[in-house]
């Protein structure tokens, strides 16, 4: 993969870049929504769907998936597990 300026991403978009010095060949980046209730669920759904599409498109053999937006963005982990 090639390097992409991830600072211009919109919430819900996903891009794939090289893994650089990490053990992974590629890294998928997606900016998650800040939890405020209203449309955060749909935005997070877009993050997940777009992030899951990239390993398929790039024929990755495996993918690890973190709990997006659950840290400082405050998305409730319990709600994430239900999705």
């Amino acid at each position: 993969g090639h390097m992409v300026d991830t600072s211009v991403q919109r919430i819900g978009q996903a891009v794939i870049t090289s893994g650089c010095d990490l053990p992974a060949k590629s890294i998928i980046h997606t900016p998650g929504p800040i939890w405020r209730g209203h449309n955060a669920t749909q935005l997070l759904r877009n993050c997940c769907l777009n992030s899951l599409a990239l390993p398929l498109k790039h024929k990755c053999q495996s993918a690890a998936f973190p709990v997006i937006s659950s840290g400082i963005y405050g998305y409730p982990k319990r709600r994430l597990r239900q999705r």
Side-chain angles (χ1 to χ4, degrees), residues 23-40:
K25 291 180 183 176
S26 302
I27 306 292
I28 296 170
H29 307 268
T30 185
I34 296 173
W35 170 250
R36 290 216 170 73
H38 35 279
N39 69 340

Side-chain angles (χ1 to χ4, degrees), residues 2-82:
H2 60 284
M3 295 307 294
V4 174
D5 182 0
T6 58
S7 66
V8 297
Q9 281 182 264
R10 291 180 173 226
I11 295 171
Q13 292 179 330
V15 296
I16 191 166
T17 65
S18 123
C20 298
D21 293 331
L22 296 172
K25 291 180 183 176
S26 302
I27 306 292
I28 296 170
H29 307 268
T30 185
I34 296 173
W35 170 250
R36 290 216 170 73
H38 35 279
N39 69 340
T41 300
Q42 184 58 46
L43 291 170
L44 186 61
R45 178 178 166 81
N46 293 343
C47 290
C48 295
L49 292 175
N50 291 327
S51 294
L52 288 170
L54 289 172
L56 295 172
K57 180 179 178 182
H58 292 271
K59 297 181 176 32
C60 298
Q61 292 181 5
S62 64
F65 211 80
V67 186
I68 300 168
S69 286
S70 66
I72 62 169
Y73 288 170
Y75 207 99
K77 289 182 176 120
R78 176 168 282 171
R79 285 186 63 117
L80 291 167
R81 287 191 298 264
Q82 294 171 353

